[in-house]
Amino acid sequence: MSEKILIVEDEAKIARVLQLELEYEGYQPSVVHDGLEAWGMIQETGYDLYILDVMLPGLSGMELLRRIRRKGTDDAVMMLTARGTTVDKVTGLDQGADDYVTKPFDMEELLARVRVLLRRKGKPAVAEEELVFKDIKLNLSRREAYRGDHLLELTPREYDLLVCFLEHPYHVLSREQLMDRVWGFDYAGETNVVDVYIRYLRQKLDKPFASSYLHTVRGTGYVLKEKSR
């Protein structure tokens, strides 16, 4: 079952775009435009992630956040607002928000943050039990990776990198996207760590086999696709 996300946003166009993008990613988003109505839904239904606008009619996003946290649940909460001041951000984080995104935002960045939050809260990043590409198979519950019948001995970082590529085959992923999805937004290191781990992953995923899957797109990033040697 895919993760349930409640979007509480009074700007209808923004809410609709978020809903469509999250549905495309395989989640189950619901939309509400009023804080009081949202609180009623929250009391009746459990959600894996809340995306809350700060300025809402009925109840503010901050008040919704406080009520969610008073319930004692560990559900992920992302605050979404046009405000960009440090005071607003600190207030939200102090009240228990897991992340804070300022409008206007980049959709790919927001989706990456959603994936990070759900992983941190112990939710699977995808609904499927397995990810498959050609002769690569990942068992998500056991965190095992195979190429054909060969078990790949991957480190946790290598495994998470491979998950990213299998979730988006044939899509070029930049170093920044990979870093956000695997290392998280609070990682303070250099982006060249991605290149290092891509090299490690290639040694196990591609080198022993007749065909290679991980390819460099010069000046952009990396892509998973089939290409015979």
Side-chain angles (χ1 to χ4, degrees):
M1 182 177 178
S2 59
E3 296 91 331
K4 296 168 70 173
I5 299 174
L6 181 63
I7 303 164
V8 190
E9 167 61 66
D10 63 338
E11 295 186 50
K13 288 183 179 179
I14 293 177
R16 182 57 176 164
V17 170
L18 280 171
Q19 182 182 20
L20 291 173
E21 291 288 343
L22 289 167
E23 285 176 350
Y24 182 79
E25 292 292 314
Y27 303 110
Q28 295 184 41
S30 300
V31 173
V32 62
H33 305 294
D34 178 89
L36 277 173
E37 184 180 352
W39 178 237
M41 294 173 64
I42 290 168
Q43 291 177 294
E44 295 176 0
T45 306
Y47 296 91
D48 299 301
L49 170 65
Y50 302 94
I51 300 178
L52 308 178
D53 187 23
V54 170
M55 302 298 293
L56 292 168
L59 288 176
S60 70
M62 290 295 183
E63 178 59 27
L64 280 175
L65 171 62
R66 284 190 286 269
R67 293 188 181 195
I68 290 168
R69 289 299 178 239
R70 281 202 296 266
K71 289 178 63 181
T73 65
D74 194 35
D75 301 323
V77 178
M78 174 188 291
M79 304 303 294
L80 182 65
T81 179
R83 295 180 178 180
T85 67
T86 302
V87 171
D88 292 325
K89 183 172 183 179
V90 170
T91 300
L93 296 175
D94 282 346
Q95 293 292 334
D98 297 287
D99 203 353
Y100 199 102
V101 178
T102 303
K103 296 183 282 188
F105 52 83
D106 177 80
M107 183 58 69
E108 286 301 316
E109 178 181 338
L110 185 141
L111 292 174
R113 287 176 181 257
V114 166
R115 285 188 286 269
V116 169
L117 287 181
L118 290 173
R119 280 201 296 269
R120 288 176 179 172
K121 293 298 180 180
K123 307 294 192 304
V126 293
E128 294 84 356
E129 190 69 19
E130 291 184 339
L131 290 174
V132 178
F133 178 82
K134 305 299 180 181
D135 59 343
I136 301 173
K137 181 183 291 186
L138 267 67
N139 185 297
L140 296 169
S141 60
R142 296 198 300 265
R143 288 184 66 87
E144 291 179 349
Y146 291 85
R147 180 150 182 192
D149 296 327
H150 179 73
L151 176 64
L152 303 176
E153 299 290 345
L154 303 179
T155 67
R157 294 294 192 196
E158 293 164 357
Y159 177 90
D160 289 342
L161 269 177
L162 186 54
V163 168
C164 287
F165 285 113
L166 289 176
E167 287 177 344
H168 304 281
Y170 305 104
H171 288 216
V172 178
L173 299 176
S174 69
R175 291 170 178 83
E176 290 75 17
Q177 287 174 314
L178 292 169
M179 176 164 289
D180 291 340
R181 295 171 187 181
V182 176
W183 280 266
F185 283 85
D186 54 356
Y187 179 75
E190 299 294 330
T191 56
N192 63 5
V193 71
V194 175
D195 301 318
V196 172
Y197 275 87
I198 290 288
R199 188 161 62 249
Y200 293 159
L201 182 56
R202 277 176 170 158
Q203 291 292 319
K204 300 173 182 179
L205 180 69
D206 285 344
K207 191 172 182 180
F209 302 95
S211 59
S212 58
Y213 292 135
L214 273 181
H215 305 283
T216 302
V217 179
R218 190 177 298 276
T220 305
Y222 300 94
V223 62
L224 181 75
K225 64 180 182 179
E226 189 175 27
K227 182 179 180 182
S228 298
R229 291 176 180 170

